[in-house]
Amino acid sequence: LEIIHHPITKDYKYDIKFSKEIIQKISKWRWFSFLNMQKKVAPKLMAISTPSLSSKNDIARDFNVSCKKISVIPNGIDFEVFSPKSNITRITGQLITTASADVPLKGLDFTLKAIAELIKDYPYLRLIIIGAPRIGGHTERLIKKLKIEANIVYKTNLTKEEIAIEYANSNIAIVSSLYEGFGFPVGEAMACSIPLIATNVASIPEITGNFAELVPACDSKSIEDSIRNILSNPFEYQSRANEGRKHIIDNFDWKKIAQSYENLIYKTIDKFEC
C-alpha cells in the first residue's frame, strides 16, 4: 500500500513557471529529476491511497495508474487543538495566512497584492504569515515593492497550540494556494471557526464544502473583494464559519479516518493472499 498525498508534478509545474532566472530553473529541473522513476513505479503498485478526489485524478493521469487502484481517504484535522478560544478577543484588522514554505505554489503573492490595495482604506490591517521568508528572496522583495512592510508580520516555529491562538486572534484566514493535494491550513482554520477565504482549486473545495469564500487562483482582486465583504458583514460570515467547524468535525475525524485506512490495508492483504 502506497500513500501519495499529491502528484509532485504540480510542484514541478509551478516552481518552473515562477522561477525567473536560468540558474533557478536548472536547480528545479535537477531537484525534480526523480519524477521519471515515480512514473515507472506507480503503475506497478497494488493499492494507492490519496487524501482527495482531485489528487486521485491527477495521479491517474500523471502516473498512468488505474483509478480502480486508488482509494480516497482524507486526512484528519485535529479539531481539539484547532478550536475556538472563547477567552480570546479578536484583534481588530488582523488577518492570517500560512506559507510554511516560501514557494510559488502557496500563492502568497496574490494575498500580499490584495493587502496593498486594502490598506488604502484600512491602514490598520495586519497580515500574520505563519512561516518564514527566504532572506532577500522574492517575497521579501515584493513586500518592499508594495510598501507594506509595516502591515506584515512573520511568525515561525510555532506549536499547533500557538497557531490555534493566532487564529483566535485573527478575523479572517486566507489560503491563496495554487494547488493543494490536501490543504491542512484550510481545515485547521475552519476548525477554529474563523471566516475563511480560499482558492477554488484542487482539493480545497472538497475540504471547505459551502463553508468558505472560494475565489479563483492567481486573483488578488477577488481576495481583496472577499476581505472587504467579510469585514463589512462579520456576523454573517462568523455564523458560516461556526457551521464550517461542525463540517470539519463530522467529516475529518482522525478516528473515522484511521478505520478507513485499516479497512483498506486488510482489503489489500486479502487480495495479495489470493
Side-chain angles (χ1 to χ4, degrees):
L1 172 65
E2 179 76 9
I3 300 174
I4 299 179
H5 279 259
H6 63 87
I8 199 81
T9 48
K10 295 293 182 180
D11 290 336
Y12 173 80
K13 172 185 174 183
Y14 286 108
D15 272 357
I16 294 298
K17 178 179 178 181
F18 286 94
S19 294
K20 303 299 182 182
E21 299 176 4
I22 187 63
I23 293 177
Q24 290 179 324
K25 290 182 183 292
I26 291 172
S27 175
K28 298 299 182 184
W29 284 326
R30 290 182 63 188
W31 170 248
F32 289 107
S33 61
F34 60 85
L35 275 173
N36 288 333
M37 178 273 292
Q38 285 197 338
K39 289 180 179 179
K40 290 179 181 179
V41 172
K44 300 178 181 180
L45 296 171
M46 288 184 63
I48 294 173
S49 171
T50 193
S52 68
L53 179 59
S54 169
S55 287
K56 174 179 179 176
N57 293 335
D58 288 339
I59 292 165
R61 181 185 64 250
D62 294 346
F63 293 103
N64 194 29
V65 176
S66 169
C67 286
K68 295 179 181 179
K69 291 185 176 182
I70 307 172
S71 298
V72 176
I73 302 176
N75 289 315
I77 300 296
D78 189 346
F79 51 77
E80 293 182 356
V81 171
F82 291 98
S83 60
K85 313 297 179 188
S86 58
N87 61 322
I88 294 177
T89 301
R90 289 181 172 162
I91 299 170
T92 301
Q94 180 164 304
L95 316 178
I96 187 170
T97 191
T98 298
S100 54
D102 190 357
V103 294
L105 201 66
K106 297 304 178 184
L108 181 58
D109 285 19
F110 305 100
T111 295
L112 295 175
K113 290 174 182 176
I115 296 298
E117 291 299 318
L118 286 161
I119 61 174
K120 296 173 183 178
D121 296 319
Y122 305 95
Y124 54 85
L125 283 185
R126 182 173 75 157
L127 177 67
I128 302 297
I129 301 176
I130 305 299
R134 286 181 291 172
I135 303 302
H138 167 76
T139 303
E140 277 199 347
R141 294 195 302 272
L142 179 60
I143 290 171
K144 290 179 181 179
K145 180 181 177 181
L146 295 172
K147 299 180 180 179
I148 56 174
E149 297 100 315
N151 304 89
I152 305 299
V153 178
Y154 275 95
K155 296 196 176 185
T156 189
N157 297 322
L158 301 184
T159 64
K160 291 195 297 184
E161 289 79 7
E162 288 169 335
I163 293 173
I165 289 172
E166 291 300 333
Y167 278 123
N169 282 327
S170 303
N171 299 273
I172 302 171
I174 306 163
V175 177
S176 50
S177 298
L178 308 184
Y179 180 85
E180 290 286 352
F182 184 88
F184 276 104
V186 173
E188 290 166 357
M190 293 179 68
C192 290
S193 292
I194 178 173
L196 172 67
I197 299 166
T199 43
N200 189 16
V201 297
S203 66
I204 291 176
E206 296 178 51
I207 302 171
T208 65
N210 297 319
F211 304 104
E213 196 73 4
L214 295 178
V215 300
C218 306
D219 190 340
S220 59
K221 185 62 167 63
S222 291
I223 296 173
E224 176 193 343
D225 291 343
S226 295
I227 292 172
R228 290 182 186 276
N229 289 340
I230 295 173
L231 292 177
S232 299
N233 303 281
F235 296 108
E236 173 187 341
Y237 284 94
Q238 184 57 56
S239 176
R240 188 185 191 188
N242 294 341
E243 292 298 315
R245 173 170 168 79
K246 295 178 184 177
H247 167 73
I248 293 298
I249 293 171
D250 290 342
N251 294 282
F252 299 94
D253 183 342
W254 268 120
K255 292 180 182 178
K256 296 178 182 178
I257 289 162
Q259 185 62 57
S260 296
Y261 274 117
E262 183 178 334
N263 293 342
L264 178 59
I265 290 168
Y266 278 121
K267 180 180 177 181
T268 304
I269 290 172
D270 290 342
K271 285 184 178 179
F272 182 78
E273 290 178 343
C274 291

